[in-house]
Amino acid sequence: MNAHPDLDESRLVEALKRGEQAAFTEAVSTYTAGMLAVARYYVDPANAEEIVQDCWVTVIDAIRRFEGRSGLKTWLHRIVANRCKNQLRTSHREITTDFSERLEPELDSRFKASGRWATPPKLRFDESADALLENGALSDCLDKHLGHLPENQRSALILYEAHQHKSDDVCNILDVSASNLRVMLHRARQKIFLMVETFQETGEC
Amino acid sequence: MLMCRELAGIASDYIDGELSTGRRLSVQMHLMMCRHCRSFIGNLRASTELLRGHSSARVEQSVIDRINHCVTEALSHRPEAPDADPDSDR
């Protein structure tokens, strides 16, 4: 792990401002995944790639005015979000999401009418996350299930967990309220929980 | 009194420290008495940590290559004095 991420980011930003190709290659490799996660929240996957590609071309000039008020990652994610929102406004499309239920139906069915567990969690994950991920099959299974999550839940989870954005940033980037973000995160985590439980119990994905 | 189903509905908020003090204490009281919910919270937390250690948003190399090609092209045609762009970090 990098001991001085801020220092490295400021070096990268300066190199980007000088228009160094190697810096852009590094930045594209580092930040494209998160930018795609943002874009896929708003538009279909093919359109998302196109938007992210356009944003990178925009960044070549826009980076000169980057003043570091937010991190580079957050700035890039906001550019993508703004571009997507503009496109949605033009096409008069709206994001529709069900925020009414906090529990996944598969998990909900595991409770009695009294509210107690009928089918409690079957296993205890005693291993650390790193140890679990050493199992390549589980890692592949995680990829598969992440790919099958509804786009809004997937984007929220990736921005919050993998990219470690603060809640306020995620709400701003995805244009959702704090309470709706909580629902999206929880629904996505339950699906991952159910996936890991099945995998641990049966070895099947 | 908090029931297991209700606790399962707010488990992420508990893990992320997003509950009010009163609600958090209710959850903690329930967890002291219910091993199934302790197990659920522990497993949900472990599932969440899996994502932090996982390169959760892998992108195909072909996509990265295509974008890099495009950026390289644009850099080679970069004007001396670029036009103003609305995107900023303000």
Side-chain angles (χ1 to χ4, degrees), chain A residues 115-144:
Chain A
R116 296 181 191 279
W117 288 96
T119 312
K122 299 181 188 73
L123 294 165
R124 172 89 196 162
F125 307 158
D126 287 327
E127 293 176 87
S128 72
D130 285 345
L132 284 170
L133 280 174
E134 281 173 16
N135 182 334
L138 176 60
S139 187
D140 290 345
C141 189
L142 195 54
D143 273 340
K144 178 180 156 188

Side-chain angles (χ1 to χ4, degrees), chain A residues 13-199:
Chain A
V13 168
E14 289 310 311
L16 291 172
K17 286 183 176 179
R18 289 192 297 271
E20 290 179 16
Q21 188 172 320
F24 274 94
T25 303
E26 181 187 338
V28 167
S29 296
T30 306
Y31 297 110
T32 293
M35 292 163 77
L36 275 171
V38 174
R40 286 181 61 169
Y41 176 80
Y42 291 102
V43 299
D44 63 79
N47 215 352
E49 281 186 29
E50 202 170 311
I51 284 179
V52 170
Q53 181 170 300
D54 287 348
C55 284
W56 273 115
V57 173
T58 302
V59 164
I60 291 173
D61 290 330
I63 190 72
R64 292 180 180 177
R65 288 175 292 285
F66 176 77
E67 296 175 15
R69 287 189 183 86
S70 60
L72 178 61
K73 176 179 66 182
T74 304
W75 181 68
L76 290 168
H77 288 176
R78 283 181 182 159
I79 288 177
V80 174
N82 289 337
R83 192 67 58 96
C84 292
K85 287 179 209 171
N86 284 340
Q87 191 174 97
L88 282 183
R89 269 195 286 272
T90 309
S91 63
H92 304 292
R93 251 196 66 212
E94 287 184 3
I95 305 277
T96 52
T97 309
D98 176 16
F99 296 113
S100 56
E101 294 296 333
R102 295 183 68 91
L103 278 181
E104 278 296 303
E106 189 181 341
L107 188 64
D108 200 21
S109 67
R110 290 168 59 168
F111 292 94
K112 299 175 192 166
S114 65
R116 296 181 191 279
W117 288 96
T119 312
K122 299 181 188 73
L123 294 165
R124 172 89 196 162
F125 307 158
D126 287 327
E127 293 176 87
S128 72
D130 285 345
L132 284 170
L133 280 174
E134 281 173 16
N135 182 334
L138 176 60
S139 187
D140 290 345
C141 189
L142 195 54
D143 273 340
K144 178 180 156 188
H145 281 262
L146 278 169
H148 290 166
L149 285 179
E151 294 291 353
N152 61 352
Q153 293 176 17
R154 181 177 174 275
S155 297
L157 198 64
I158 287 174
L159 293 178
Y160 189 78
E161 299 294 357
H163 292 276
Q164 303 274 293
H165 275 296
K166 292 189 172 69
S167 296
D168 287 352
D169 274 336
V170 182
C171 289
N172 185 287
I173 290 166
L174 301 185
D175 216 7
V176 290
S177 69
S179 60
N180 288 349
L181 173 65
R182 300 305 314 164
V183 174
M184 287 196 291
L185 282 175
H186 192 44
R187 294 286 297 258
R189 284 173 174 176
Q190 289 170 71
K191 289 197 179 88
I192 299 300
F193 158 82
L194 290 165
M195 178 279 284
V196 177
E197 188 181 62
T198 302
F199 185 88

